[in-house]
Amino acid sequence: MTITRRNVLLGATAAAALGPIAARAQTSEVKIGVIYPFSGASAQIGVDAQRAFETAAEIINGKYDYDLPLARTEGLPGLGGAKIKLVFADHQADPQKGRAEAERLITQEKVSAIIGSYQSAVAVTASQTCERYQIPYLSADNSSPSLHRRGLKYYFRAAPHDEMFSGAMFDFFDMMKKKGTKIETLALFHEDTIFGTDSGNAQLKLANERGYKIVADIKYRANSPSLSAEVQQLKAANADVLMPSSYTTDGILLVKTMAELGYKPNAIVAQDAGFSEKALYDAVGDKLEGVISRGSFSLDLAAKRPMVGKINDMFKAKSGKDLNDFSSRQFMGLIVMADAINRAKSADGEKIRDALAATEMPGEQTIMPWKRVKFDESGQNNDADPVLLQYVGGKFVTIFPAQAAVAEAIWPMK
Amino acid sequence: MTAETIIQSLASGLLMGLLYGLIAVGLALIFGLMDVVNFAHGEFLMIAMYATFFLFAFFALDPLLAAPLVAAALFVFGAVVYLLVVRFAVRAKANTGMVQIFSTFGLAVLMRGVAQYFFTPDYRSIPHSWLGGKTISIGGIYLPQPQLIGALIAIAAFAGLYFFIHRTDFGRALEATREDAGAVALVGIDKNKVFALGWGLGAALVGLAGAVMSIFFYVFPDVGASFATIAYVTVALGGFGSVFGAFAGGIIVGLVEATTTLILPPSLKTVGIYGVYLLVVFIRPRGLFGSI
């Protein structure tokens, strides 16, 4: 960036207002830490996430005619056109590495905020580290409900959590029942880290509240070499709906093992994760015609908001994939954070935190089916409406809720 | 719990156990031959699975047809790893054990990194194959064909290996070298050739397992990790250095894993394996069939 008189003036004003000289030195560039798994079993998620964050940074730093915060201006006008710089860190799906990397990003890379992290288990440790250094942590795609209930001041989540997702599933069941579909028994199948455990607990609670019978509640070990015993129990329970909460590897093995052991449920309603990943459908998509997964994003939305399609094209040029449930939330994570930094007019953690708390972003200015982005006391956005998507003819169509649906649900699945 | 559930568990456990045995036997062979633990064993499995996947993706070669090719390729790979890496590691003057551990462990990390760089961390799987997704059902008991063929291949491979070790000159050289590497040099047997052959054989066996597994499992750079851990337990349980022990250990691990879930929640299924393992090493530290 060339230094103009305006920038110097702005810098001087900022320095006068804020006192510390460090704040001025950072105004040409604001560093944001991005913590994802770039190696290990979930490395593909990290690689795709990097493309999503880079796409968002390109839109923020450049000039684009989209109805998205900061798209039409170059850089952050609130900080004299300062650019966003992303610093990527690899947590390898290990909570301890996540904590160490967060600490390194804050103390050595001097980031102003951190976004993460795919695995909720890592979000726990990384966000605690952020809290200690008074640096905001934003969960782009962590969905465990317990995350925002820890009384942290610097924790934020613009996207829905698993209780909201599971709530949408049960709303959908209620609606289908009214239409005369038989849904009485459910089988839960969830992996044993915080994601699967929280998801299973939320579903168990909702099922009890709304009068559905859980006939199998199987907590299994993630990345198992074999799932035949688990599938056998699911088969024996033979519920009306199978509800898996699994990452990609387990999802592939689950579906393959189900086919091998001759288990075909009437319906599968999945807590996304692996079930929104292209790799899973490449591997076993032929066995999943009609599978339903919750999501926070659907490409259908492009029909109503053309910018969604254009941003998807930008992302696809980088990654070779369409935006999905994860990449869309990661993309929005950076937009929400940059918007707050811009309004904070500062790279200081505490000021950004206050700006985040004051966020008020209308749904039309996002690429999501959300009502708006507005955080409550605990840092959770309760207006992030989830959607249910059904896999039909090789792609996902939105089937729920009514205002976002483009098709009727096919039930039972093929 | 019905009789059907129990029989199904035992059947699934046996099929999986034979495969565990096939994966572990190469490890046992190399250990028995030269007291070297190959920490890159899981990564050997990984490249075998990738090789099978790419033969399918580019030449539409069914994994069953690819299996002998992959095994042959892994044979060469194993021998080369011995000649280029392990040969020098075991020659170290000081801390031989450590150098050996770090050389194969380093090799594992390197192989994983290279795989991630060239093949990307994406999960791959073979969507169509002759056996993929096919199942035989006998009286309500389901036997997936890929695992069934895998188990038969494992039994054939064990028999072949047994015959090779006990009935051929090379096998006898292998046994002799294992007994006393110094003495065989006196009778004109090239120790390096025998060790290279052992590494080649060990790698070929895990190559065979990888080819079969890619029919029903997914492939990604870290896939070896979860199987390698089981392979180490299998070898220790069956007995260090015993090829037959690896075979028996695999079956035990498979059966214990499958039956544990009849009693405990599935998230605790490895508890059974490690419980039995601890019990065995407590009573018999050398493992069930160990001679060392």
Side-chain angles (χ1 to χ4, degrees), chain B residues 34-50:
Chain B
M34 54 189 296
D35 273 355
V36 166
V37 177
N38 177 17
F39 284 95
H41 199 65
E43 281 59 40
F44 281 35
L45 183 75
M46 180 263 296
I47 56 162
M49 292 179 77
Y50 268 115

Side-chain angles (χ1 to χ4, degrees), chain A residues 38-45 47-48 192 218-221 223-230 232-233 235-236 248-250 252-253 256 259-262 279-280 282-284 286-287 321, chain B residues 4-6 8-9 12 16 20 116 120-123 125-128 133-135 140 142 144 146-147 214-218 220 222 226-227 230 257-258 261-262 264-267 269-270:
Chain A
F38 292 101
S39 59
S42 312
Q44 189 59 46
I45 298 290
V47 172
D48 292 344
D192 62 350
I218 295 174
K219 180 179 185 171
Y220 71 93
R221 212 177 143 76
N223 291 318
S224 277
S226 154
L227 288 174
S228 58
E230 289 83 343
Q232 223 174 291
Q233 293 182 13
K235 193 184 166 196
T248 313
T249 49
D250 300 330
I252 294 174
L253 193 58
K256 286 200 169 191
E260 286 165 6
L261 292 184
L280 183 126
D282 285 347
V284 290
D286 55 327
K287 298 183 183 70
K321 298 176 182 178
Chain B
E4 205 174 72
T5 330
I6 298 171
Q8 177 74 64
S9 293
S12 302
M16 207 59 203
Y20 287 159
Q116 186 163 326
T120 76
D122 242 330
Y123 311 105
S125 82
I126 294 177
H128 309 288
K134 290 201 183 119
T135 291
Y142 286 84
Q147 279 95 321
S214 54
I215 306 176
F216 62 90
F217 214 75
Y218 47 83
F220 73 110
D222 271 15
S226 44
F227 286 93
I230 291 186
E257 185 186 54
T261 50
L262 291 174
L264 294 175
S267 55
K269 70 179 170 190
T270 43

Side-chain angles (χ1 to χ4, degrees), chain A residues 176-325:
Chain A
M176 292 299 284
K177 261 171 85 172
K178 260 187 214 141
K179 285 187 183 168
T181 311
K182 177 182 167 280
I183 306 174
E184 283 159 13
T185 54
L186 310 173
L188 307 183
F189 180 80
H190 46 102
E191 52 105 52
D192 62 350
T193 72
I194 183 171
F195 159 65
T197 310
D198 275 5
S199 163
N201 288 340
Q203 292 175 346
L204 198 63
K205 189 166 155 258
L206 281 159
N208 288 333
E209 281 169 12
R210 305 202 191 186
Y212 293 89
K213 197 171 166 223
I214 304 280
V215 287
D217 180 9
I218 295 174
K219 180 179 185 171
Y220 71 93
R221 212 177 143 76
N223 291 318
S224 277
S226 154
L227 288 174
S228 58
E230 289 83 343
V231 168
Q232 223 174 291
Q233 293 182 13
L234 289 174
K235 193 184 166 196
N238 196 24
D240 294 332
V241 186
L242 169 64
M243 302 178 75
S245 308
S246 302
Y247 290 120
T248 313
T249 49
D250 300 330
I252 294 174
L253 193 58
L254 169 71
V255 177
K256 286 200 169 191
T257 312
M258 279 167 58
E260 286 165 6
L261 292 184
Y263 172 45
K264 184 97 214 176
N266 263 343
I268 300 176
V269 178
Q271 191 79 280
D272 97 330
F275 284 84
S276 60
E277 278 302 312
K278 187 175 176 291
L280 183 126
Y281 293 92
D282 285 347
V284 290
D286 55 327
K287 298 183 183 70
L288 286 174
E289 182 72 13
V291 72
I292 296 169
S293 175
R294 57 84 159 170
S296 41
F297 177 73
S298 100
L299 264 183
D300 300 347
L301 208 61
K304 285 180 195 158
R305 291 181 217 157
M307 73 160 172
V308 174
K310 287 181 197 149
I311 292 168
N312 186 52
D313 290 343
M314 280 176 76
F315 175 72
K316 202 167 184 173
K318 282 181 195 290
S319 68
K321 298 176 182 178
D322 282 318
L323 280 169
N324 68 4
D325 197 27

